[in-house]
Amino acid sequence: MFQKQPPKNDIELWQKVFNQETAYIQARQDFLNNSPDRIGFIKKALHNPTERGTALRLMEYLKLEERQSLFDDLLELASVSQSDIELCRKAILSLPKNWLLANIEKSAEPLLQDGTDEEYRRLLELYLDIDRELVKRLAHRAVDHDDPDIREVGEDFQNYLENQHTILSAI
């Protein structure tokens, strides 16, 4: 059957996308293979909203030890609402579960000391993807907090855990 030739503009637009992606892949490899302070640059970029997404997308190419060295920065970013929160969570969840369980509460403590309901809520959301017992402990801590907004967050997550268990039991 006769195929219609795509418009010249579409071909040019596609070629531009393809060429830019190829250039990005090469630049990424050059940076990862040749920067003696790549972790320093990535750490700095994590705290610059315009560079953060690029830094987070590089996480999957880093060695485990390098990702672990950025854990506190990633956790801080995952504790507040921002446009790259899902990329932060993905980077955190790429770490071994046993390592996360051994380190996350200690790293989260400074964030919770002066934290608001937002830090509690964002960390509890992250904890849901890691371990139910982590969620229980932090939700219990939130319920016992002096701040009524933080108590509400704790109650929300305790209710979620109870209702999730009820739903799973019914299945």
Side-chain angles (χ1 to χ4, degrees):
M1 180 145 234
F2 181 73
Q3 287 187 318
K4 184 179 173 185
Q5 188 72 356
K8 183 179 179 188
N9 187 49
D10 283 359
I11 294 170
E12 290 171 359
L13 290 171
W14 170 252
Q15 197 62 49
K16 185 177 178 181
V17 168
F18 176 78
N19 291 338
Q20 291 295 321
E21 182 173 28
T22 302
Y24 166 71
I25 291 168
Q26 182 60 49
R28 181 184 67 208
Q29 284 310 114
D30 287 346
F31 173 75
L32 291 171
N33 292 332
N34 300 316
S35 174
D37 187 27
R38 66 186 188 179
I39 299 306
F41 275 96
I42 291 172
K43 183 179 182 82
K44 184 177 177 186
L46 288 173
H47 297 283
N48 179 340
T50 59
E51 296 179 9
R52 181 179 299 140
T54 301
L56 289 166
R57 283 185 286 280
L58 288 177
M59 289 292 158
E60 67 182 284
Y61 302 101
L62 299 178
K63 297 174 188 165
L64 175 60
E65 300 79 27
E66 292 172 322
R67 286 181 284 137
Q68 288 171 330
S69 75
L70 295 166
F71 179 63
D72 288 344
D73 299 280
L74 294 169
L75 192 60
E76 180 182 348
L77 291 170
S79 73
V80 292
S81 294
Q82 39 89 15
S83 62
D84 295 310
I85 193 166
E86 287 303 319
L87 288 171
C88 292
R89 290 175 180 171
K90 180 181 176 186
I92 290 168
L93 295 172
S94 76
L95 298 168
K97 185 173 180 176
N98 288 342
W99 188 90
L100 279 174
L101 290 173
N103 291 280
I104 198 163
E105 289 174 299
K106 181 180 80 120
S107 291
E109 188 56 35
L111 303 170
L112 296 169
Q113 284 295 318
D114 296 317
T116 67
D117 57 311
E118 181 177 18
E119 284 83 7
Y120 276 81
R121 187 171 299 279
R122 299 295 86 81
L123 288 173
L124 281 161
E125 290 168 352
L126 173 63
Y127 286 14
L128 282 172
D129 290 329
I130 299 170
D131 183 75
R132 186 179 175 89
E133 290 304 313
L134 274 176
V135 178
K136 284 182 182 179
R137 285 194 298 273
L138 185 54
H140 180 76
R141 175 178 174 172
V143 166
D144 289 343
H145 203 280
D146 291 339
D147 184 318
D149 293 330
I150 294 174
R151 280 197 306 270
E152 182 180 349
V153 170
E155 291 166 0
D156 288 348
F157 279 83
Q158 285 182 336
N159 289 337
Y160 174 81
L161 290 175
E162 289 172 15
N163 289 334
Q164 182 187 39
H165 179 70
T166 303
I167 291 169
L168 290 175
S169 297
I171 294 179

